[in-house]
Amino acid sequence: MNAHNSLDRQAAGRRSTLVSVAVNITLSLLQLFIGVFAHSQALIADALHSFSDLVSDGVVLVANQQSQKAPDVDHPHGHLRFETAASLAIGLILLAVGIGLLWNSFTKLQNPDAIPEVHGIALAVALIALVAKEGLFRYMLRVARRVRSSMLAANAWHARSDAASSLVVAVGIVANLAGLHLADPLAALIVGLMVARMGWKFTYSSFHDLVDGAVDQETVDRIHAQLVGTPGVLGIHDLKTRRSGDMILVEVDLEMDARLTIAEGHDIAVLARNRVMEHEHVLDVMTHFDPVQPPCTTAPAKAEPPE
């Protein structure tokens, strides 16, 4: 990534996250106050979910600043994995919040006679939260896709899980007002399940990247096609991929005509590297030249010197 793209990613991440902070502060305080006043367990659960967003927003702000630092002696590939670590932290936060909501809702359901009727104002607040969180999700996901940030995407989908939970809360409150008092804690239970599921998804994905898991097979196949399609490359083997933040690191052995000079082999390797980096979100391609006997006795293929 060039300096302009890096600064654009950092600025976009900070701006969208600050918008999320403002929305979540307002919603969490409103939901908590009205939830206690209206005796709505589901609305209180949604308030805690919104509050967890503030924690994850803080993680994103710190990681967004750290991940854009230039490479140094201790981090020769840069600091992009700060984003992956932040996504892992967000996942763990969501998982913890979800489990807490599940436990609290389960204990409430053990004593259904003590569940009070919810005040009607809780429904209005739930609907306001639904609209606000869905709007926040669409805004943040648009920014994440523009700058290609999985960390911002994780935070955006966190907001979408909030919107879905607010919908469940609204339905539970409507049912409670209709006389089904168990509906409110049941809605809180469903919110807990949704939050825990989203937390597990991000935790697993981020952990996979941190332990150098390979990228998906579709991406590997595209990289393979770019490499073997390079003029002068007779074949490849030992193709390896791993992630560094949102970027991909590639290692590969290139098979070339054994009669090529070192300079000619180098030019072909550079061409193969450039082809991959032009078409994929790749940070670097490490190549090794393996000399092989060509299938025929024609003159060895030569690559045009890279620009």
Side-chain angles (χ1 to χ4, degrees):
M1 293 183 297
N2 58 39
H4 175 75
N5 288 339
S6 179
L7 291 174
D8 184 50
R9 282 166 59 90
Q10 185 174 6
R14 179 177 177 80
R15 184 167 55 251
S16 64
T17 305
L18 287 176
V19 171
S20 178
V21 167
V23 172
N24 287 314
I25 287 178
T26 303
L27 287 179
S28 59
L29 292 176
L30 180 64
Q31 289 172 311
L32 184 61
F33 176 77
I34 298 300
V36 172
F37 170 78
H39 307 294
S40 174
Q41 183 66 31
L43 196 58
I44 294 174
D46 212 23
L48 294 176
H49 193 186
S50 297
F51 181 75
S52 74
D53 283 354
L54 292 174
V55 180
S56 66
D57 286 340
V59 172
V60 169
L61 284 172
V62 173
N64 183 59
Q65 182 178 9
Q66 294 295 322
S67 66
Q68 303 306 321
K69 289 184 176 179
D72 53 33
V73 175
D74 293 328
H75 302 87
H77 291 295
H79 300 74
L80 294 174
R81 283 198 173 179
F82 272 93
E83 290 199 5
T84 308
S87 295
L88 177 63
I90 292 172
L92 291 173
I93 291 169
L94 285 171
L95 196 57
V97 171
I99 292 173
L101 293 177
L102 286 172
W103 177 257
N104 189 58
S105 301
F106 182 76
T107 55
K108 291 288 184 182
L109 289 170
Q110 299 305 302
N111 189 14
D113 294 334
I115 300 174
E117 181 178 346
V118 174
H119 194 283
I121 194 175
L123 177 59
V125 173
L127 294 176
I128 291 173
L130 171 60
V131 173
K133 291 175 180 178
E134 179 64 19
L136 181 63
F137 159 73
R138 293 178 182 272
Y139 162 70
M140 294 181 69
L141 188 63
R142 185 168 64 250
V143 173
R145 287 174 173 171
R146 179 172 63 83
V147 300
R148 294 186 178 184
S149 171
S150 62
M151 178 182 65
L152 295 180
N155 216 26
W157 281 103
H158 190 175
R160 164 52 72 86
S161 72
D162 282 356
S165 69
S166 294
L167 177 61
V168 172
V169 168
V171 173
I173 292 173
V174 169
N176 182 282
L177 292 173
L180 300 174
H181 291 179
L182 280 175
D184 186 65
L186 279 174
L189 185 70
I190 294 173
V191 170
L193 286 171
M194 295 170 60
V195 174
R197 178 182 177 277
M198 187 67 68
W200 170 252
K201 177 181 177 182
F202 284 124
T203 299
Y204 178 82
S205 176
S206 301
F207 184 77
H208 174 79
D209 289 346
L210 286 174
V211 296
D212 286 340
V215 301
D216 61 276
Q217 189 58 46
E218 183 180 349
T219 303
V220 172
D221 291 341
R222 290 198 306 268
I223 293 174
H224 183 281
Q226 292 296 333
L227 291 169
V228 298
T230 303
V233 174
L234 303 181
I236 69 170
H237 60 270
D238 289 343
L239 174 59
K240 301 173 184 176
T241 61
R242 57 192 173 97
R243 286 198 176 276
S244 181
D246 291 309
M247 304 294 286
I248 303 171
L249 292 171
V250 179
E251 299 176 26
V252 65
D253 288 357
L254 302 177
E255 299 172 1
M256 303 183 201
D257 191 330
R259 296 170 296 176
L260 293 173
T261 65
I262 293 176
E264 291 168 342
H266 174 266
D267 289 343
I268 293 173
V270 171
L271 179 60
R273 177 180 184 270
N274 290 344
R275 281 168 57 91
V276 173
M277 296 184 68
E278 180 182 354
H279 293 90
E280 300 294 334
H281 209 46
V282 171
L283 180 64
D284 197 10
V285 180
M286 298 293 294
T287 60
H288 175 73
F289 176 4
D290 275 354
V292 297
Q293 292 300 321
C296 59
T297 58
T298 57
K302 296 184 179 181
E304 294 294 330
E307 295 181 2

